[in-house]
Amino acid sequence: MRDALGAVQRVLVLGGGSDIGQAIAARLAAPRRAAIVLAGRSVAAGDLASRTGSDVAVEWFDARAVGEHRSTLDDLWAAHGGFDVVVVAFGVQFDQADAEASPARALEMAETNYLGAVSALLECSRLLRAQGHGAIVVLSSVAAERPRRSLFAYASTKAGVDSFALGLADALRPDGVHVLVVRPGFVRTKLTAHLKPPPGPLATTPDAVADVVARGLERGARVVWAPPAMRWIMSLLRHLPHAVFSRLPI
Amino acid sequence: MPDAEANRRLLSGWGRTSPSAAVVHTAVDGDDAVKAASSPPPRGVIARGLGRSYNDAAQNAGGLVVDLTGHSHFLSFDPASGIVRAGAGVSIADLIEVCLPHGWFPPVTPGTRHVTVGGAIAADVHGKNHHGDGSLARFVDSITLWTPATGVIEVGPDAEPEIFWATTGGLGLTGIVLDATIRMRRVESSRMTVDIDRAADLDAVMALMTEGDDDYLYSVAWIDCQAVGGSLGRSVLTRGRHALVSELEPGDRRTALAVSPVRAVPAPPWVPSGLVNRLTVGAFNELWFRKDPPRARGVVQDHGWFFYPLDLVSGWNRMYGTRGFVQYQCVVPFGAEDALRGAIERLTRSHAASFLAVLKRFGPGTPGPLSFPSAGWTLALDFAVGPRHLAGLLDELDVRVTEAGGRCYLAKDGRADPALVPVWYPRLAEWREVQRRLDPAGVLTSDLERRLDLLGRGGPRS
């Protein structure tokens, strides 16, 4: 159970190999050594257990195998006695040029980031609703806020899941289930190692994202940005006239 | 249950933290409560009264919550002996209203009259008279209890004492209290005669209490947790007893047994988090410290004001804002005064704003394995949720309390480390054995139970 000050006792990460997912799990586990379950296709837990002092388990989960989601999640719930927080952290990001040259790549992003997330979110919603409490952390992206020429294939998948999760947040509130949408900017991770980071303080780290998520969960936020200043930058970018926006070197 | 979805509601404790959704069955009487609890959903069942536990003791996420407030019937009351048999949903306010005009007052009352008999037994509540009288369980002759294994049974200190003591302070986990027989206290009037002493610091108030508490039925000190240095722990000590008719103004004697009206001003419907902060609490503390003369004797007060000043603002818990608040109550044995002083110093230094800090001396505890009070000093504090250092601060207080051989009150705790519970309550294993006999299938549970793993099911559960 979550306690009165927001400390949780059991955390599930879908896309358990994700650097951001693991950082969030470690951060949420810290106050009361919460048990962590990392679920994914090939998860390296690394030193997460020794670093957090938590029990860490690794389980199978394939975001694209939507037909298996129900049974996989039911089994996870039964095996681990439920979860206080589910972090939906899976996702893939290919270069825009790749995605345009090869529709299969674009589709893989859509299947994983959007279809997989819709399916996993609905199955988790069902289980959390039955449980009567819990939180879902959905990793979106600042890219979801306005499509850019350089990133739109990926951005559209995140826009889809972002929109879905915001609606889900309203749907689940009466059930005591909290959905938090996280919009990170550029995060230095395995996933982005091949990409050129933006200048200065706009690139962030998984640990910084985890801090923002922990605070957002504590205060019951609907959306958080990481770094928090991205909120104002994106607000500005969203309102730029298209003629100006399309000429920006981003 | 066909109406399950329609009756699904979000419930929280009085602290308004950690809400969870459950199907609420509002029982009209004891039979109805038993019927509902007899076919529980997979996530089990817990009873609920007026929701005054600060924490998640009367929540059962995803399961069934049986609301007993509808079972507010008096089954019997003998105005000659003061013995009352009341449904679990009868509140302390109801007891006062029915019994006080006949010269009987609740033998033990917590700081609000809006608690039910069932809830008061489940928490084994204490009042300002604990130093002499003990907790509520001492005045309970019998309890009608439903348990999954036995059905409806009568238990008391003489009949099935093990079950009785496991139930008093048992946090609703041994079964559903359907009604209880309570011995009320004989009083001549509804007023109190009160002595007030202002104490310059913690040592002074503790000395006053140690020397003088035995002369008073009721005693409690309010501490200013923001006063620093030489004023550390400055306090207002309020002690009193029920007034005799001869002590009332002649004009009041005809209405000697008049019940204080349960009238309250509502708190504003919405208050921003952060209103209760260092500055506002500091200002309040200064006023509260100065509101009475430094020393007063024989002040006649209404019982409503003496026992229930907070009841004057209905929904005062909303003053802490949307994120709610936690209550922290610990007891340390006599002789561990240094630990208490250290804790108060630490609190003062932390600048955590505790709006209500209350100090009192407990007498000996009961045989109840999970009953909180035990001989020593008890300190109760309120904290608004929000400051980031609060979790660490309270963990630190836990360490000090535990090292001093003390413990915290499970009916209030919202955030303790589950590993501390067996240390605080060394007879937990014994209690679990009784509990398991009454509920072998593990039907009775609550959010509090899952969080602290009170039933010992291999660790906290979600």
Side-chain angles (χ1 to χ4, degrees):
Chain A
M1 301 295 307
R2 176 190 190 274
D3 79 12
L5 301 181
V8 296
Q9 295 175 314
R10 319 191 66 81
V11 182
L12 169 66
V13 184
L14 298 179
S18 148
D19 292 343
I20 303 179
Q22 289 192 7
I24 293 172
R27 175 69 180 72
L28 296 181
R32 289 279 178 255
R33 298 174 305 283
I36 299 172
V37 176
L38 303 174
R41 279 185 307 175
S42 68
V43 175
D47 62 348
L48 191 63
S50 56
R51 210 152 35 86
T52 55
S54 292
D55 285 339
V56 177
V58 172
E59 298 273 11
W60 171 260
F61 175 81
D62 182 354
R64 289 173 74 191
V66 290
E68 297 168 6
H69 281 184
R70 172 169 286 238
S71 60
T72 306
L73 286 163
D74 280 348
D75 291 350
L76 279 175
W77 238 260
H80 294 279
F83 299 96
D84 300 332
V85 183
V86 181
V87 185
V88 178
F90 56 78
V92 289
Q93 182 173 5
F94 301 121
D95 276 350
Q96 178 65 24
D98 278 2
E100 285 179 46
S102 152
R105 297 239 113 173
L107 281 177
E108 188 186 336
M109 278 201 286
E111 281 172 20
T112 310
N113 300 359
Y114 181 64
L115 296 182
V118 165
S119 164
L121 283 171
L122 287 173
E123 295 301 346
C124 289
S125 300
R126 174 178 58 84
L127 289 158
L128 290 171
R129 203 179 238 150
Q131 192 179 272
H133 76 102
I136 310 179
V137 177
V138 183
L139 284 180
S140 174
S141 164
V142 293
E145 296 198 55
R146 187 166 185 178
R148 325 202 295 259
R149 171 66 190 92
S150 62
L151 200 64
F152 70 80
Y154 173 76
S156 71
T157 67
K158 286 300 187 182
V161 74
D162 192 291
S163 169
F164 188 86
L166 287 178
L168 191 63
D170 294 336
L172 292 181
R173 188 166 303 135
D175 295 287
V177 178
H178 174 202
V179 178
L180 174 66
V181 175
V182 190
R183 294 181 185 152
F186 187 91
V187 187
R188 297 170 202 277
T189 65
K190 292 194 292 281
L191 191 75
T192 61
H194 62 292
L195 301 173
K196 189 169 93 58
L202 291 183
T204 186
T205 63
D207 286 339
V209 176
D211 273 339
V212 168
V213 167
R215 277 202 296 272
L217 284 176
E218 276 168 22
R219 57 169 219 271
R222 205 161 159 261
V223 186
V224 290
W225 286 259
M230 284 309 289
R231 173 181 192 168
W232 310 111
I233 294 169
M234 291 316 296
S235 176
L236 183 73
L237 289 180
R238 255 198 336 268
H239 293 97
L240 279 183
H242 182 69
V244 180
F245 182 77
S246 62
R247 284 185 177 78
L248 290 178
I250 53 173
Chain B
M1 250 181 265
D3 57 347
E5 277 306 306
N7 293 326
R8 213 174 140 93
R9 291 214 316 259
L10 267 187
L11 297 174
S12 70
W14 191 241
R16 303 175 78 225
T17 58
S18 329
S20 68
V23 172
V24 180
H25 179 86
T26 307
V28 292
D29 57 24
D31 291 346
D32 187 31
V34 169
K35 207 176 119 208
S38 298
S39 50
R43 286 179 66 87
V45 59
I46 195 77
R48 182 177 174 100
L50 285 163
R52 252 46 176 208
S53 269
Y54 291 89
N55 64 357
D56 44 5
Q59 294 169 224
N60 181 21
L64 174 65
V65 171
V66 180
D67 177 341
L68 270 296
T69 52
H71 184 30
S72 55
H73 317 287
F74 281 78
L75 305 172
S76 66
F77 170 52
D78 175 6
S81 65
I83 290 179
V84 60
R85 185 169 167 210
V90 169
S91 70
I92 300 278
D94 298 335
L95 284 179
I96 292 174
E97 179 152 354
V98 169
C99 304
L100 183 55
H102 298 278
W104 299 98
F105 198 77
V108 166
T109 175
T112 171
R113 68 197 121 176
H114 303 300
V115 299
T116 60
V117 164
I121 287 172
D124 193 17
V125 296
H126 56 270
K128 299 176 184 185
N129 55 335
H130 192 281
H131 59 284
D133 285 345
S135 55
L136 179 64
R138 293 280 181 205
F139 299 88
V140 177
D141 282 346
S142 79
I143 297 171
T144 308
L145 181 73
W146 172 85
T147 80
T150 64
V152 177
I153 50 175
E154 294 284 329
V155 300
D158 303 315
E160 299 283 5
E162 259 193 341
I163 301 177
F164 175 80
W165 293 116
T167 299
T168 54
L171 302 161
L173 297 167
T174 59
I176 295 182
V177 173
L178 300 174
D179 60 71
T181 304
I182 298 170
R183 275 172 286 120
M184 301 286 279
R185 175 186 309 280
R186 187 52 138 167
V187 296
E188 270 190 30
S189 84
S190 64
R191 320 296 206 284
M192 314 298 297
T193 55
V194 182
D195 291 354
I196 298 166
D197 293 277
R198 229 190 251 172
D201 58 32
L202 190 63
D203 288 339
V205 75
M206 289 169 92
L208 278 173
M209 292 170 91
T210 306
E211 285 157 23
D213 267 8
D214 289 347
D215 299 337
Y216 295 90
L217 182 58
Y218 301 105
S219 165
V220 71
W222 165 87
I223 300 188
D224 180 354
C225 272
Q226 291 196 334
V228 293
S231 303
L232 183 88
R234 70 172 182 172
S235 311
V236 178
L237 175 60
T238 308
R239 296 183 285 192
R241 55 183 171 72
H242 297 276
L244 305 174
V245 172
S246 58
E247 291 167 326
L248 302 183
E249 296 289 328
D252 288 339
R253 290 182 191 166
R254 270 185 313 126
T255 58
L257 289 168
V259 176
S260 303
V262 187
R263 259 199 314 259
V265 186
W270 182 85
V271 176
S273 291
L275 180 73
V276 177
N277 58 40
R278 269 180 73 195
L279 293 176
T280 54
V281 170
F284 172 85
N285 284 357
E286 194 60 39
L287 279 174
W288 196 260
F289 188 69
R290 308 248 170 242
K291 87 177 161 47
D292 295 307
R295 186 174 188 278
R297 289 291 175 270
V299 180
V300 176
Q301 284 181 359
D302 170 64
H303 63 277
W305 174 247
F306 182 79
F307 289 107
Y308 316 115
L310 284 170
D311 283 351
L312 292 172
V313 182
S314 71
W316 62 265
N317 56 340
R318 290 199 300 268
M319 297 303 287
Y320 284 90
T322 50
R323 292 179 62 184
F325 70 104
V326 289
Q327 162 102 183
Y328 184 89
Q329 184 169 2
C330 61
V331 58
V332 297
F334 292 124
E337 286 76 12
D338 284 346
L340 194 71
R341 191 175 299 107
I344 291 173
E345 263 166 15
R346 178 69 191 86
L347 274 172
T348 307
R349 235 182 324 130
S350 76
H351 298 305
S354 177
F355 190 54
L356 291 166
V358 169
L359 179 69
K360 133 134 230 92
R361 286 169 65 254
F362 275 158
T366 70
L370 290 195
S371 175
F372 163 66
S374 62
W377 296 95
T378 183
L379 178 68
L381 307 151
D382 277 2
F383 298 97
V385 173
R388 306 212 68 200
H389 66 285
L390 183 58
L393 173 70
L394 297 183
D395 280 347
E396 214 184 294
L397 291 188
D398 281 350
V399 171
R400 287 170 188 269
V401 166
T402 309
E403 280 172 358
R407 62 188 182 203
C408 289
Y409 192 4
L410 298 180
K412 290 185 172 182
D413 168 70
R415 33 62 50 201
D417 186 337
L420 289 174
V421 177
V423 185
W424 288 344
Y425 294 88
R427 291 168 60 214
L428 179 65
E430 184 188 319
W431 176 82
R432 280 176 179 164
E433 254 173 59
V434 179
Q435 198 281 338
R436 238 166 252 152
R437 233 168 50 218
L438 301 173
D439 179 25
V443 164
L444 298 160
T445 184
S446 63
D447 288 2
L448 171 69
E449 187 281 307
R450 286 191 195 92
R451 178 166 60 78
L452 296 179
D453 189 27
L454 295 174
L455 297 180
R457 299 208 190 138
R461 308 182 304 288
S462 290

